[in-house]
Amino acid sequence: MAYPGYPPSGYPAFPGYPPTGQESVYPPAGQYTYPAAPGGYPPAGGGSFPAAPPSTGYPEAGGYPAPGGFPAPGGFPGAPQAGGMPSYPGGPGYGVPPTGPGFGGYPQPPAQSYAGGGPAQIPGYPGGQAPSPMPGPPAAMVQYTQGTIQAAPNFDAGRDAEILRKAMKGIGTDEKAIIDVVSNRSNDQRQKIKAAFKTMYGKDLIKDLKSELSGNVEELILALFMPRTYYDAWSLRHAMKGAGTQERVLIEILCTRTNQEIREIVNCYKSEFGRDIEQDIRADTSGHFERLLVSMCQGNRDENQTVDYQKAQEDAQRLYQAGEGKLGTDESCFNMVLASRSFPQLRATAEAYSRIANRDLASSIDREFSGNVERGLKAILQCAFDRPAFFAERLYYAMKGAGTDDSTLIRIIVTRSEIDLVQIKQKFAEMYQKTLATMIASDTSGDYRRLLLAIVGQ
């Protein structure tokens, strides 16, 4: 499918854009209410459950990190105590949480039923019992995601187009005026400014910006004017185009996006670049890493928020037998579980695994795998526990040491600016004892620094 009205010329090597509105939506509305349970909520003698979260504003599947990881320091605010769930952390019936950068741990559910059914007898659970399948955590545990950029109130695309035209007209460029506009408008609003500019002046805004800007600030502003889905597809194509492959870009995008986002990226990749992303992945990667990426680009991860603890125990046993429990590694078993299970289900599986193997699942992946497939599997697992921590870690290593990986810095700041950059900033400060803004300020300069800091909210 071709997108009418595109391309706006001037984007490096890749013409074409998807139309406004093709960006992925966070989250599908109406998907996260508590299902009815025998006798209703709360279970008898089980304390009181908070009200179900609203149908809008709820984070993407599996995305309910609390600041500091799981469990939150001092317990989750609002979690029922007397007669209900044990207090966080360290209540009775809790297993050893996974460890490692960004994991933070996730409490094992207490050995009792939450959905009205009796507890199942499963070896390996405290007391031989596991809770019946239950929906995700109560609303008091949920940390809603939030971007640093919101749609500007009283938006006027024509007025903004005029500001940008004046900033670039004549000798010199008013970079401050450009930064003020692009850093305070949502991606959808930027698409409207681009259309208004061409209507009012008969000129292409992107061409004008490219003629006035250069270097990293040019790359950053062009990224901000790309619709989100197109930017992901463009980044993937760029990572596989020409000599060499940027495997970490493939992992960063394909292992962290929602099903809906991945399907839209795959469609955009085909329509805009005339290529099949799966064929490009097969041509540019190999072995178990290739198979993992092909699995991820299907966009078919289970999105059921109900946790089946029996299946979690079975998957954990399967993973143990495929890795730590045998000579050699059955890589296909790890691929199957980590590429297909929902994030809440993966958390439960990781908890069960730590009891069976006496080692957390991330450590076992370290021992059993290496290279890009190891990085990919760990990225999935880390996103299941705490997606903002994954991006915080990527940002830190993009700036750590000599030199800066500016493309990674730009890509993450831009793509998460309207989704969860607030939580990424919080996680960055917790993990590295310095703010994201402080590190950006020390690693960048000039208009590039000013625009990055404006986006992250400093």
Side-chain angles (χ1 to χ4, degrees):
M1 177 183 78
Y3 290 122
Y6 288 94
S9 56
Y11 281 96
F14 305 119
Y17 268 80
T20 302
Q22 292 300 309
E23 304 92 308
S24 53
V25 177
Y26 277 78
Q31 198 170 319
Y32 301 99
T33 55
Y34 290 115
Y41 281 96
S48 60
F49 277 88
S55 62
T56 57
Y58 202 80
E60 64 271 29
Y64 33 81
F70 288 100
F76 286 96
Q81 301 290 328
M85 295 167 60
S87 60
Y88 294 86
Y94 282 74
V96 179
T99 57
F103 283 90
Y106 190 78
Q108 173 202 342
Q112 63 186 81
S113 169
Y114 285 90
Q121 297 289 325
I122 301 178
Y125 278 91
Q129 295 183 346
S132 307
M134 60 174 284
M141 296 183 198
V142 174
Q143 173 65 50
Y144 293 91
T145 55
Q146 182 184 348
T148 55
I149 292 181
Q150 311 291 330
N154 305 316
F155 171 67
D156 184 333
R159 181 181 60 202
D160 286 346
E162 186 176 359
I163 292 171
L164 292 178
R165 174 68 176 144
K166 287 180 179 177
M168 295 183 285
K169 190 176 180 181
I171 299 174
T173 304
D174 185 354
E175 289 88 354
K176 183 180 184 301
I178 297 173
I179 290 171
D180 286 345
V181 170
V182 299
S183 65
N184 290 292
R185 305 292 183 270
S186 67
N187 190 280
D188 181 65
Q189 289 174 335
R190 290 185 212 112
Q191 307 314 310
K192 291 180 172 66
I193 294 169
K194 193 163 52 180
F197 193 93
K198 183 169 284 190
T199 299
M200 293 168 64
Y201 304 112
K203 300 185 69 176
D204 188 281
L205 175 59
I206 303 306
K207 261 191 172 180
D208 280 10
L209 286 169
K210 282 180 66 66
S211 69
E212 298 290 330
L213 305 168
S214 62
N216 290 323
V217 72
E218 176 191 350
E219 182 180 347
L220 177 53
I221 287 182
L222 294 186
L224 287 165
F225 273 100
M226 291 187 192
R228 188 188 306 158
T229 299
Y230 179 85
Y231 187 32
D232 276 345
W234 182 90
S235 297
L236 290 170
R237 178 71 191 117
H238 190 70
M240 293 185 281
K241 187 175 184 290
T245 303
Q246 300 172 43
E247 291 87 354
R248 290 176 187 269
V249 177
L250 305 183
I251 292 169
E252 178 195 307
I253 295 174
L254 292 175
C255 294
T256 67
R257 302 308 193 245
T258 65
N259 285 349
Q260 177 75 8
E261 288 174 318
I262 288 174
R263 290 168 189 158
E264 290 174 355
I265 290 166
V266 169
N267 290 336
C268 178
Y269 194 96
K270 179 71 171 179
S271 61
E272 297 310 313
F273 310 132
R275 304 179 68 90
D276 183 279
I277 193 170
E278 185 175 323
Q279 290 180 4
D280 280 358
I281 287 171
R282 293 188 187 280
D284 273 64
T285 61
S286 61
H288 300 295
F289 182 55
E290 171 198 326
R291 289 190 275 280
L292 178 63
L293 293 182
V294 169
S295 293
M296 298 311 298
C297 74
Q298 306 309 304
N300 284 327
R301 181 179 299 282
D302 181 15
E303 292 185 329
N304 185 353
Q305 297 301 289
T306 299
V307 174
D308 184 336
Y309 291 99
Q310 176 76 46
K311 180 187 284 187
Q313 182 73 11
E314 292 167 357
D315 281 349
Q317 188 66 45
R318 186 179 292 125
L319 291 172
Y320 180 72
Q321 294 300 330
E324 297 278 0
K326 64 174 287 188
L327 185 64
T329 306
D330 180 0
E331 293 88 355
S332 63
C333 178
F334 281 81
N335 192 103
M336 182 274 290
V337 172
L338 271 78
S340 64
R341 302 295 189 248
S342 71
F343 282 169
Q345 188 69 31
L346 282 179
R347 288 195 291 272
T349 299
E351 286 298 320
Y353 185 92
S354 67
R355 290 189 296 272
I356 292 171
N358 202 28
R359 175 181 289 112
D360 65 59
L361 184 53
S363 296
S364 289
I365 291 172
D366 273 337
R367 289 161 61 93
E368 299 294 324
F369 295 89
S370 62
N372 290 313
V373 67
E374 175 197 343
R375 283 189 281 271
L377 292 170
K378 288 177 69 177
I380 294 168
L381 188 59
Q382 190 171 8
C383 285
F385 277 91
D386 194 339
R387 197 191 315 258
F390 170 81
F391 289 112
E393 185 176 17
R394 286 279 286 152
L395 287 170
Y396 178 76
Y397 285 104
M399 294 181 282
K400 184 177 183 291
T404 302
D405 181 353
D406 292 292
S407 290
T408 295
L409 178 59
I410 290 169
R411 188 175 55 253
I412 294 176
I413 293 294
V414 170
T415 57
R416 310 313 293 184
S417 62
E418 294 181 49
I419 301 171
D420 56 1
L421 191 51
V422 169
Q423 281 71 35
I424 292 169
K425 287 166 56 180
Q426 292 169 347
K427 186 59 60 175
F428 192 97
E430 291 166 11
M431 292 168 66
Y432 303 112
Q433 289 74 55
K434 65 174 73 175
T435 68
L436 176 58
T438 299
M439 199 160 183
I440 288 173
S442 66
D443 263 57
T444 60
S445 61
D447 293 325
Y448 178 46
R449 173 199 286 167
R450 280 190 283 276
L451 181 49
L452 282 172
L453 293 178
I455 296 169
V456 302
Q458 297 297 328

